[in-house]
Amino acid sequence: MSVIAFPYPAPVAPNRLRRIGRIVAVGALVCVAGAVLAVPLLWSSDEMLWHWIATQSPLGARPFTLNFGTRFVGGLISMIGLAPVLYALLELSMLFSRFARGEVFVTGNAWRIRRMGLALIVNALISPLVQMLTTINLTRANVPGQLVVMFGIEQSQVLSVLSGLALVAFATVMADAVRVWHENSEII
């Protein structure tokens, strides 16, 4: 009787995958560090805040007040809004660290991809709230009658939800594929 064993299929270019895995893992951590450092830098610089509010914020040219309180609360609101992104980047770093070690088709990777998708969805869902809280914060110290409350949904948020759903679906398919592969690898 002969036994045919199918070895764990190695990627076509394992060294290339390992190199890409290390680059992406480190790059995601650098992005996390940059994002965490950017929040206090943004909220502590008048020039950066004025430019950001004039170009990126829905406030545009409307009056707003900057003081220590609005800066501090604005930084906290920004960190709350940034939390799902930081989580997704950390999951991305851990996923690609596993790729760098040669662990590609494992159930743990599917769950990491799922958590990244869920983080994208959460980020898209809290973004309008963060934007609204930021506009309220920046205008709460204005003269009476100039408080601004803005709430809006942008196309990028809808695309984020769709991308997150796609990642969740991909992760589910990947987990099933890994399960089937393990079941089939046990058949002699």
Side-chain angles (χ1 to χ4, degrees), residues 70-81:
T70 56
R71 290 174 191 272
F72 182 74
V73 172
L76 290 177
I77 293 169
S78 294
M79 287 306 290
I80 290 169

Side-chain angles (χ1 to χ4, degrees), residues 15-179:
N15 291 333
R16 182 174 179 209
L17 179 64
R18 288 191 168 108
R19 185 176 59 249
I20 290 170
R22 284 190 296 270
I23 290 169
V24 174
V26 170
L29 291 176
V30 169
C31 289
V32 166
V36 169
L37 292 174
V39 170
L41 287 174
L42 171 69
W43 285 97
S44 65
S45 168
D46 284 346
E47 296 82 28
M48 289 177 73
L49 268 175
W50 286 100
H51 178 72
W52 174 71
I53 291 168
T55 60
Q56 303 293 320
S57 168
L59 280 175
R62 292 186 176 88
F64 58 92
T65 304
L66 288 176
N67 56 34
F68 178 76
T70 56
R71 290 174 191 272
F72 182 74
V73 172
L76 290 177
I77 293 169
S78 294
M79 287 306 290
I80 290 169
L82 196 57
V85 174
L86 296 176
Y87 180 75
L89 284 170
L90 290 173
E91 286 291 331
L92 181 70
S93 177
M94 290 185 274
L95 174 70
F96 274 84
S97 291
R98 291 187 83 168
F99 288 171
R101 291 190 305 264
E103 301 170 17
V104 180
F105 295 108
V106 294
T107 307
N109 289 349
W111 295 118
R112 288 201 190 288
I113 293 168
R114 177 182 173 83
R115 288 190 294 265
M116 286 178 359
L118 292 173
L120 280 176
I121 294 168
V122 167
N123 182 58
L125 294 177
I126 69 169
S127 286
L129 177 64
V130 168
Q131 188 178 46
M132 181 181 71
L133 291 174
T134 301
T135 57
I136 290 171
N137 175 53
L138 286 171
T139 60
R140 68 185 161 92
N142 286 356
V143 296
Q146 290 193 357
L147 178 69
V148 177
V149 178
M150 294 186 160
F151 184 84
I153 297 174
E154 299 173 7
Q155 180 181 4
S156 62
Q157 294 159 344
V158 173
L159 290 174
S160 249
V161 169
L162 294 175
S163 298
L165 290 172
L167 283 176
V168 169
F170 176 74
T172 303
V173 170
M174 184 177 174
D176 284 343
V178 169
R179 182 186 52 76

